């Protein structure tokens, strides 16, 4: 090995680059470097050969990726040169195979590129020839004829080509000479030839030195000592029936398989003809551990497994030795060719993996670089690759045995957040062998989904007089993105209430009524709500994610304020009048502390006149009242509290008309004081009271009393009422002066009134039944500006109220398919209930089921009574 070290130093001084050419078609750089080159030896200017600028190799991270083995070369980061990093031993890397090449992959980042580099490791003469043993004993009969040949075991050289071409020399001898015999193109066998008859008595032993020299420069040598013993007797050596045996075996042949059977014959007799066999001179040397021969039968069998990838041919010699004294031997050669079988599965190496992959990555993006190899040869070593599942990734072949895993379909992290990709490699053997390499490819999120509410429109019911800060509802928007891209915040976007919604205070933004928690989406009231001020508040809630750029979604919220009975009935002044010549007298009592409306108070003193002998049913006065609430809470009823029992007067339960219950008599006295209570239907009910003083008069005053009902009920006051409760003297005189004209006017007005009532009755009762019983969807009638708002679906619907009552109706729903209430109106003012309507739902209140409704009809009013559960 000292000579080999000198060779390494000489080669390290000047590196021979056989080829450094960039192959445009294949994309491969080839270099050559001798084995045993010193560490740091420059193999080639890789960065320059790849077309990189100065400094670009280090900036773009030029690096090597070896295929399954430790590379003995590396890339210098600063210069981009390919240099030797550790000892290169061609014999260790490739054995006897030629040429010996290191196949490397070179990667460049930003952008990712791959190049293929092949470094051929050339042989130097660093291995001297070696004989199997340091000495060899040879026995030669003294009667051996001249030119007798004695095969010698040749030397082996681990080098290749000319460095392994051996030549032999023999030390000078007058009895023996050396002849070289070439058995095939690979091996030269030395034979010892007898050139002069031997004389055991003069010289019984010859010591010669056989020297083997290789073809290197300088040549290396190996020696073996030949100890030749001159024997007597046995003069016939065994002879084989053929000189060369050629055998083929598959590499998967099992241990004990018969390789060949050789046979030799010896014409001698007796013990001199008994032959034993031995296998010698194995090339390569490990053949002696894999092949053996039976010493008596000559059967050659396997004693170990064959491997085509390690050695494809075994050459060895068989020696047939007799048992004579001295023994003689004959020789033959055996050539065993190993046939390749598909016993090596493909190997898949991941040389680079770029994960995670953004879900908006462009098609064709390289996810990973793969290297595939198979140690078998021919079809057994040809590998096909595929990806399972086939989408959204695919393989693109970049070079022999190299592939890129690329993106072929668009990704969606919300559908699949991670892929388990299998790269399957299959060779062309029969049967084929496969290898699977699993890759985990996570998908990173981008903000490509806007928050989406569960509903486009939310209907929220809130009772008035709610506490400030009370939670009204909870809104939720879903964003399937992750982390900040899926973190949603809420805000009130737009909307409000206009001046038409309530008391006329002008438009106010929704943010002055409600707020939404940015994180939880809880909708809260900023202040108590007042149904009389605000019935419906419509606004938008916006959900915005924290992505870049942020995305948003909107939902409409319809907030309906549900009325509570927080307003007591308020008495109204007489119709058609104002105070007139009398003054208003408002009571100081209030029926409820929650009363908010009615500037006239809740207790009144009123007076009216009635004529002696007036028939039963004549209207003498009408009590007018209004309730600021809506719906059932504003439905008023009138009750006569005093006098109790059978008095001469009665009051309409829903009309408020005070009429005679019977004919008036003198026994009834000159004056009747009535205490009338106006009560709503709320829970609890609120009320107001009115005191009505009725003076019984006759003559012209009776006519005035009848006319006074149309003009309104007079309100008692100090200026218009005498001390006895009747009109004062001055007022009576003024009234008498106009009696004649009033009678004429009353007659004309009465005629017109009768005609109007007839026409109104005909138009009211006849068609209404058809409307109420006609088919069609349910109609929603709600409060309007003057007290109610309404709309109808497909068909018009009519809601009748008292002709002289306040212009206000209730929130009610009725089914057009229900029949009208049957039976005549009650003459005494009590109500009649028609058949109960079927359960109904408020169309504007999603998922809110309401209760029962019933039709109530009085003499002058058609009401629909309903209750909400």
């Amino acid at each position: 090995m000292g000579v080999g070290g000198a060779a390494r130093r000489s080669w390290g001084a000047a590196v021979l680059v056989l080829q450094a050419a960039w192959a445009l078609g294949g994309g491969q750089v080839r270099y050559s470097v001798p084995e045993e080159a010193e560490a740091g030896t420059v193999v080639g200017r890789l960065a320059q050969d790849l077309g990189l600028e100065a400094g670009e190799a280090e900036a773009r991270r030029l690096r090597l990726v070896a295929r399954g083995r430790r590379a003995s070369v590396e890339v210098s980061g600063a210069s981009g040169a390919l240099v030797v990093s550790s000892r290169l031993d061609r014999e260790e890397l490739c054995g006897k195979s030629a040429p010996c090449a290191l196949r490397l992959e070179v990667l460049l980042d930003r952008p990712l590129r791959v190049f293929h580099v092949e470094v051929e490791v050339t042989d130097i003469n660093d291995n001297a020839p070696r004989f199997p043993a340091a000495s060899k004993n040879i026995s030669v009969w003294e009667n051996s004829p001249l030119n007798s040949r004695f095969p010698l075991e040749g030397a082996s050289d681990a080098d290749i080509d000319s460095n392994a071409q051996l030549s032999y020399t023999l030390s000078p001898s007058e009895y023996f000479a050396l002849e070289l015999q070439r058995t095939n193109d690979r091996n030269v066998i030395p034979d010892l030839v007898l050139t002069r008859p031997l004389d055991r008595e003069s010289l019984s032993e010859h010591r010669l030195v056989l020297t083997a020299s290789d073809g290197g420069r300088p040549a290396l040598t190996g020696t073996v000592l030949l100890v030749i013993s001159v024997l007597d007797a046995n003069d016939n050596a065994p002879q084989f029936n053929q000189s060369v045996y050629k055998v083929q075996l598959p590499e998967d042949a099992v241990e004990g398989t018969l390789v060949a059977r050789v046979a030799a014959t010896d014409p001698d007799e007796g013990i001199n003809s008994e032959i034993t066999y031995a296998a010698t001179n194995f090339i390569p040397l490990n053949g002696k551990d894999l092949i053996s021969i039976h010493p008596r039968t000559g059967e050659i069998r396997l004693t170990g497994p064959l491997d085509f990838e390690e050695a494809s041919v075994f050459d060895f010699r068989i020696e047939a030795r007799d048992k004579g004294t001295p023994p003689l031997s004959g020789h033959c050669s055996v050539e065993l060719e190993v046939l390749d079988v598909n016993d090596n599965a493909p190997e898949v190496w991941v040389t680079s993996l770029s994960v995670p992959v953004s879900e908006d990555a462009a098609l064709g993006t390289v996810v990973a670089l793969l290297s595939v190899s198979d140690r078998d040869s021919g079809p057994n070593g040809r590998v096909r690759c595929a990806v399972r599942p086939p989408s959204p990734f695919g393989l693109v072949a970049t070079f022999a045995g190299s592939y890129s895993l690329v993106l072929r379909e668009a990704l969606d992290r919300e559908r699949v957040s991670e892929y388990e990709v299998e790269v399957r490699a299959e060779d062309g053997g029969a049967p084929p062998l496969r290898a699977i390499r699993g890759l985990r490819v996570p998908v990173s999120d981008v903000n490509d989904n806007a928050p989406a509410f569960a509903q486009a429109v939310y209907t929220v019911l809130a009772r008035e007089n709610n506490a400030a800060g009370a939670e009204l509802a909870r809104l939720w928007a879903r964003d399937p993105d992750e982390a900040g891209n899926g973190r949603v915040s809420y805000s009130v976007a737009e909307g409000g209430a206009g001046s038409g919604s309530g008391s006329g205070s002008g438009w106010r933004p929704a943010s002055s009524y409600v707020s939404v928690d940015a994180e939880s989406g809880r909708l809260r009231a900023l202040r108590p709500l007042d149904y009389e001020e605000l019935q419906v508040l419509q606004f938008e809630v916006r959900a915005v994610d924290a992505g870049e750029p942020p995305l948003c979604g909107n939902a409409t919220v319809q907030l309906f304020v549900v009325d509570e009975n927080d307003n007591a009935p308020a008495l109204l002044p007489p119709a058609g009048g104002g105070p007139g010549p009398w003054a208003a007298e408002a009571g100081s009592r209030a029926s409820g502390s929650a009363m908010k409306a009615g500037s006239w108070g809740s207790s009144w003193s009123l007076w009216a006149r009635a004529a002696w002998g007036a028939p039963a049913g004549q209207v003498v006065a009408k009590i007018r009242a209004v309730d600021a609430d809506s719906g059932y809470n504003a439905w008023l009823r009138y009750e006569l509290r005093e006098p109790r029992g059978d008095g001469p007067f009665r009051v309409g339960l829903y009309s408020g008309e005070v009429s005679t219950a019977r004919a008036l008599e003198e026994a009834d006295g000159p004056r009747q004081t009535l205490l009338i209570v106006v009560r709503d239907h709320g829970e609890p009910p609120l009320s107001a009271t009115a005191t009505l003083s009725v003076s019984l008069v006759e003559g012209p005053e009776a006519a005035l009393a009848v006319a006074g009902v149309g003009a309104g009920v007079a309100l008692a006051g100090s200026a218009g009422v005498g001390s006895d409760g009747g009109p004062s003297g001055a007022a009576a005189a003024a009234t008498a002066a106009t009696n004649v004209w009033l009678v004429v006017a009353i007659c004309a007005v009465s005629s017109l009134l009768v005609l109007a009532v007839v026409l109104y009755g005909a138009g009211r009762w006849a068609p209404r039944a058809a409307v109420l019983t006609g088919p069609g969807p349910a109609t929603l009638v709600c409060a309007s500006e003057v007290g109610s708002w309404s709309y109808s679906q497909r068909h018009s619907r009519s809601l009748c109220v008292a002709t002289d009552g306040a212009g206000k109706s209730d929130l009610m729903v009725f089914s057009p398919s229900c029949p009208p209430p049957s039976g005549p109106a009650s003459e005494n003012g009590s109500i009649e209930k028609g058949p109960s309507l079927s359960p109904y739902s408020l169309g504007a209140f999603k998922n809110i089921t309401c209760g029962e409704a019933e039709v109530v009809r009085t003499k002058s009013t058609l009401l629909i009574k309903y209750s909400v559960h």
Side-chain angles (χ1 to χ4, degrees):
M1 295 303 295
V3 179
R8 286 194 298 271
R9 288 190 294 274
S10 63
W11 280 104
V15 178
L16 177 62
V17 178
L18 297 180
Q19 180 179 359
W22 173 249
L24 295 177
Q28 187 174 11
V29 177
R30 298 178 184 272
Y31 296 103
S32 177
V33 62
E35 64 173 329
E36 306 296 341
E38 297 288 343
T41 300
V42 176
V43 178
R45 295 176 297 178
L46 181 59
Q48 182 176 346
D49 292 338
L50 294 179
L52 302 180
E53 300 292 338
E56 191 177 0
E58 186 174 10
R60 294 182 59 184
R61 294 187 59 207
L62 183 66
R63 63 188 187 277
L64 283 181
V65 177
R67 290 189 178 182
R69 63 175 72 180
R70 182 180 61 84
S72 298
V73 293
E74 63 182 9
V75 176
S76 175
S79 64
L82 189 65
V83 298
V84 176
S85 61
S86 61
R87 177 176 177 266
L88 283 170
D89 189 348
R90 192 205 64 79
E91 288 74 27
E92 179 183 346
L93 294 174
C94 304
K96 298 289 287 185
S97 299
C100 180
L102 297 178
R103 293 177 176 84
L104 309 172
E105 287 182 354
V106 179
L107 298 183
L108 270 177
D109 290 341
R110 300 185 297 273
L112 181 63
R113 292 191 61 188
V114 60
F115 303 93
H116 299 274
V117 177
E118 185 174 289
V119 178
E120 181 182 0
V121 180
T122 60
D123 185 50
I124 64 173
N125 193 23
D126 59 339
N127 290 281
R130 295 183 60 185
F131 287 93
S135 64
K136 180 176 177 60
N137 295 321
I138 302 175
S139 297
V140 180
W141 289 102
E142 62 176 333
N143 58 351
S144 296
L146 295 178
N147 297 321
S148 295
R149 307 178 72 87
F150 305 96
L152 302 177
E153 289 185 280
S156 62
D157 196 323
D159 296 324
I160 61 172
D161 298 331
S162 61
N163 294 328
Q165 296 294 327
L166 301 182
S167 60
Y168 297 89
T169 59
L170 188 66
S171 58
S173 172
E174 59 182 297
Y175 294 97
F176 296 94
L178 185 66
E179 286 188 7
L180 301 180
Q181 181 179 356
R182 185 176 296 276
T183 59
N184 51 44
D185 296 335
R186 293 180 297 274
N187 300 315
V188 174
I189 303 301
D191 287 340
L192 190 64
V193 180
L194 182 62
T195 60
R196 183 177 175 179
L198 299 175
D199 185 5
R200 189 191 61 80
E201 288 71 21
S202 61
L203 183 60
S204 62
E205 185 178 88
H206 300 265
R207 290 182 174 268
L208 303 176
V209 176
L210 178 63
T211 302
S213 301
D214 60 22
R217 293 178 182 274
L220 301 181
T221 60
T223 60
V224 61
L225 176 63
L226 302 179
V227 179
I228 304 172
S229 300
V230 180
L231 304 177
D232 219 348
N234 189 20
D235 55 353
N236 289 292
Q239 298 292 323
F240 286 92
N241 54 3
Q242 61 185 78
S243 61
V244 177
Y245 292 84
K246 294 187 177 181
V247 184
Q248 291 182 335
L249 279 181
E251 63 173 323
D252 60 350
V254 298
E255 184 176 343
T257 299
L258 179 64
V259 177
R261 180 181 287 109
V262 297
T265 60
D266 193 323
D268 294 326
E269 293 183 350
I271 195 172
N272 291 331
S273 62
E274 293 182 13
I275 300 174
T276 59
Y277 300 92
T280 62
N281 203 23
F282 284 94
I283 299 176
L285 293 177
N286 64 334
K288 63 183 178 181
D289 300 324
L290 306 177
I291 301 169
S292 66
I293 187 170
H294 193 279
R296 292 190 301 274
T297 63
E299 291 182 350
I300 304 173
R301 295 185 179 273
L302 291 180
T303 58
L306 300 177
D307 190 350
F308 175 85
E309 287 70 40
E310 290 186 5
S312 60
V313 176
F314 289 93
D315 292 329
F316 57 96
R317 302 189 74 178
I318 302 298
E319 180 185 54
R321 184 185 295 270
D322 61 25
K323 294 184 178 180
T325 303
L328 300 179
S329 62
H331 299 82
C332 71
S333 297
V334 178
E335 295 181 3
L336 173 59
E337 182 181 359
V338 182
L339 303 179
D340 183 44
V341 297
N342 192 26
D343 60 343
N344 290 281
E347 294 180 323
V348 181
W349 304 85
V350 180
T351 58
S352 180
L353 181 61
S354 299
V355 292
V357 181
S358 176
E359 65 176 321
D360 62 349
L363 300 185
T365 299
V366 177
V367 178
L369 296 178
L370 307 172
S371 178
V372 181
S373 63
D374 193 317
R375 297 180 61 198
D376 293 322
S377 300
N380 296 332
R382 288 195 290 268
V383 181
R384 301 183 300 272
C385 290
V387 174
R388 294 290 183 276
S391 62
F393 302 101
L395 284 178
V396 176
T398 57
F399 194 70
S402 298
Y403 295 88
S404 296
L405 182 67
V406 299
L407 185 64
R408 286 184 172 174
E409 295 181 8
L411 299 177
D412 186 357
R413 189 205 64 83
E414 288 69 41
R415 184 172 60 89
V416 181
S417 61
E418 184 176 279
Y419 290 89
E420 293 293 338
V421 181
E422 285 188 353
V423 179
R424 298 187 178 184
E426 179 181 287
D427 60 26
L433 299 180
R434 300 175 180 86
I436 296 177
R437 171 70 67 175
L439 299 176
R440 188 177 68 89
V441 182
V443 181
S444 61
D445 184 52
V446 297
N447 192 26
D448 57 347
N449 289 280
F453 285 92
Q455 300 173 212
V457 178
Y458 288 85
T459 300
V460 180
L461 300 181
R463 289 191 173 275
E464 67 171 328
N465 303 318
N466 60 296
E471 182 177 334
L472 304 178
R474 183 173 181 180
L475 310 180
W476 181 73
R478 178 179 179 272
D479 193 324
D481 294 324
E482 65 177 358
N485 295 332
R487 189 169 59 252
V488 180
S489 59
Y490 303 88
S491 62
V492 176
E494 59 182 22
S499 59
S501 299
S503 60
S505 59
W507 186 89
R508 301 186 67 176
S511 57
S512 64
Y513 294 100
V514 295
S515 67
V516 61
D517 188 85
E519 294 184 1
S520 65
R522 287 185 170 87
L523 185 67
R524 301 183 185 275
L526 294 177
R527 60 178 182 172
L529 300 175
D530 187 357
Y531 177 84
E532 288 69 42
E533 175 190 347
L534 176 70
Q535 289 85 44
V536 180
L537 178 63
Q538 180 168 314
F539 56 92
E540 284 192 353
V541 174
R542 175 173 296 170
V544 182
D545 60 29
E548 185 61 39
L551 302 178
C552 66
N554 296 325
T556 300
V557 178
Q558 293 179 343
L559 176 64
F560 291 88
V561 182
V562 180
D563 182 48
E564 288 188 342
N565 191 28
D566 58 347
N567 291 280
L571 296 171
L572 297 177
W582 52 80
E585 180 182 345
S588 60
R589 293 178 292 112
S591 299
S593 60
M595 184 181 71
K596 296 185 289 185
S599 61
W600 292 87
S602 61
S603 179
W604 289 90
S605 295
L606 306 98
W607 62 268
R609 295 185 181 88
W612 293 107
Q618 180 174 341
V619 178
V620 298
K622 182 176 179 65
I623 306 300
R624 301 173 66 248
V626 70
D627 194 316
D629 292 323
S630 181
Y632 207 55
N633 296 328
W635 183 21
L636 303 181
R637 57 186 296 164
Y638 301 84
E639 300 174 359
L640 182 60
R641 178 175 295 180
E642 294 179 2
R644 300 181 181 276
D646 297 333
F649 296 99
R650 64 185 177 186
V651 63
L653 182 61
Y654 293 105
S655 64
E657 293 179 344
V658 181
S659 60
T660 56
R662 55 179 172 78
L664 298 179
E665 302 173 354
E666 291 185 2
D668 294 326
R671 176 184 299 176
Q672 290 285 331
T673 301
L674 308 179
L675 182 61
I676 300 171
V677 178
V678 183
R679 182 178 288 110
D680 60 26
H681 284 72
E683 287 295 337
L686 303 180
S687 62
T689 60
T691 302
L692 175 63
S693 297
V694 182
S695 299
L696 304 180
V697 297
E698 57 185 24
E701 294 183 5
L704 288 173
V706 175
V709 174
V713 178
L715 303 180
S718 59
V721 181
S723 61
D724 60 350
S728 65
T735 303
T738 58
N739 282 342
V740 177
W741 297 107
L742 289 175
V743 170
V744 174
I746 288 172
C747 292
V749 170
S750 299
S751 300
L752 293 176
L753 180 61
V754 171
L755 179 60
V757 169
V758 172
L759 295 177
Y760 173 73
R764 174 182 180 184
W765 298 112
R768 288 299 179 264
V771 171
L772 289 175
T773 58
T779 304
L780 176 64
V781 183
C782 301
S784 67
E785 284 188 10
V786 297
S788 67
W789 58 270
S790 64
Y791 67 85
S792 173
Q793 298 177 354
R794 298 189 183 179
H795 299 289
S796 298
R797 298 292 182 264
S798 299
L799 179 66
C800 300
V801 298
T803 56
D804 53 354
K808 177 178 177 62
S809 63
D810 301 332
L811 173 66
M812 54 193 74
V813 173
F814 62 91
S815 172
S817 61
C818 294
S822 60
S826 175
E827 294 297 333
N828 59 4
S830 63
I831 65 172
E832 291 188 49
K833 298 184 179 179
S836 177
L837 299 181
S838 60
Y840 62 94
S841 298
L842 295 178
F845 302 158
K846 184 176 292 185
N847 300 326
I848 303 300
T849 302
C850 299
E852 299 288 328
E854 57 186 13
V855 178
V856 181
R857 186 176 62 193
T858 64
K859 181 177 180 181
S860 59
T861 306
L862 175 64
L863 302 175
I864 298 178
K865 176 182 177 183
Y866 69 97
S867 61
V868 178
H869 300 318

